Amino acid sequence: MALMITAECINCGACEPECPNNAIYNVGEEWSFVDGTTVTGQIEYHGEMVDVNAKLGALSDSVYFIVPEKCTECVGFYDEQKCVSVCPVDCCVDDPERRESKEALMARKEKLHP
Ligand code: SF4
Ligand code: SF4
């Protein structure tokens, strides 16, 4: 599953630079698939093909957020989830709505970092 950040987040910013997929963004920040990855061309997002350079809307206007389509649970990089290990208030948690196999997470890693 992807990770999610809960409303308990204190917006300290410690997690953002630790993410190997650049899946974590600041409050209200636009994001794109190409940030921190080597993906090119177009990619499927919510059933549509989007340019990997496209600036997409923030997923939260109150706390830091994780883009689930970029999170691999750190699979392919580390044995631990970096955001979980650095967060001082333990608000990076498993998203119960997004259960994914290790194979699916590795496939995402390969897609984002070909
Ligand atoms: S689990 Fe890893 S890949 Fe996912 S948001 Fe946290 S640091 Fe990034
Ligand atoms: S480390 Fe935790 S508290 Fe700090 S910005 Fe990230 S999720 Fe929020």
Side-chain angles (χ1 to χ4, degrees), residues 81-102:
Q81 295 155 347
K82 284 289 183 179
C83 54
V84 174
S85 60
V86 302
C87 181
V89 294
D90 297 331
C91 68
C92 297
V93 300
D94 295 338
D95 184 346
E97 301 294 316
R98 293 182 182 272
R99 303 284 177 191
E100 294 170 294
S101 67
K102 189 161 186 176

Side-chain angles (χ1 to χ4, degrees), residues 42-64:
Q42 295 200 322
I43 195 166
E44 187 177 349
Y45 179 60
H46 289 192
E48 293 183 15
M49 298 305 289
V50 299
D51 191 295
V52 296
N53 296 290
K55 289 291 185 186
L56 302 170
L59 304 186
S60 173
D61 290 324
S62 55
V63 292
Y64 274 65

Side-chain angles (χ1 to χ4, degrees), residues 3 18-21 23-24 66 71-74 81-83:
L3 275 281
E18 300 295 330
C19 178
N21 293 306
I24 304 174
I66 292 171
C71 174
T72 64
E73 294 185 37
C74 289
Q81 295 155 347
K82 284 289 183 179
C83 54

